[in-house]
Amino acid sequence: MLRSAPGLGPVLAARVLAELGDDPARFTSVKGVRAFAGTAPVTRASGKSHYVKARKVRNKRLSDACHWWAFSALTWSPGARAHYDRRRAAGDHHNAALRNLANKLIGRMWWCLSHNQPWDEDAAWPDLIPAAA
């Protein structure tokens, strides 16, 4: 399943699997996986101030693997490239856009693993499908 994801070759797939483990009951939801990988954003708000920042407490090896997975997916997946470009156009810096893309990739990978289905590019990026005329 992992190797069907765009940009996830044998080395990165092995790193992701090694850090996540092979116990399907380890994480009860995709939120736990995203927090463990450090791709889930942390929002700080107090009074009028409100900002979103990167999670500091995370599995750094998994976070690094997800960063490189997102970077590699830019080449292999038109949907990933479009998502990254939208985030950059919205004002995100390169690393923030990659972290957001990794967050999306982890969510889709979680769905694929929990439903025992290979990666489907059309299902992963439904907003790229043109609307029916």
Side-chain angles (χ1 to χ4, degrees):
M1 291 301 155
L2 291 177
R3 292 290 311 278
S4 66
L8 201 56
V11 174
L12 280 178
R15 281 183 70 189
V16 169
L17 181 61
E19 295 303 326
L20 287 177
D22 59 354
D23 181 11
R26 181 175 184 191
F27 298 100
T28 58
S29 71
V30 71
K31 288 181 180 182
V33 178
R34 287 174 169 159
F36 186 65
T39 61
V42 175
T43 303
R44 300 283 185 217
S46 176
K48 292 183 181 179
S49 75
H50 172 89
Y51 63 97
V52 178
K53 63 181 195 166
R55 186 174 294 273
K56 297 290 183 200
V57 178
R58 65 189 185 279
N59 180 316
K60 291 186 170 96
R61 291 174 300 277
L62 179 58
S63 177
D64 182 59
C66 290
H67 176 87
W68 287 111
W69 175 19
F71 186 72
S72 178
L74 294 177
T75 304
W76 295 100
S77 169
R81 169 51 78 176
H83 181 79
Y84 172 83
D85 290 342
R86 274 195 310 272
R87 296 301 303 188
R88 287 303 307 257
D92 284 358
H93 292 286
H94 171 72
N95 285 334
L98 279 182
R99 191 171 49 255
N100 187 278
L101 175 58
N103 201 29
K104 294 287 186 184
L105 292 171
I106 287 172
R108 186 64 193 173
M109 181 188 67
W110 172 265
W111 186 92
C112 290
L113 291 174
S114 62
H115 290 87
N116 200 20
Q117 296 288 321
W119 187 275
D120 180 13
E121 189 73 9
D122 294 332
W125 312 104
D127 52 339
L128 289 182
I129 300 171

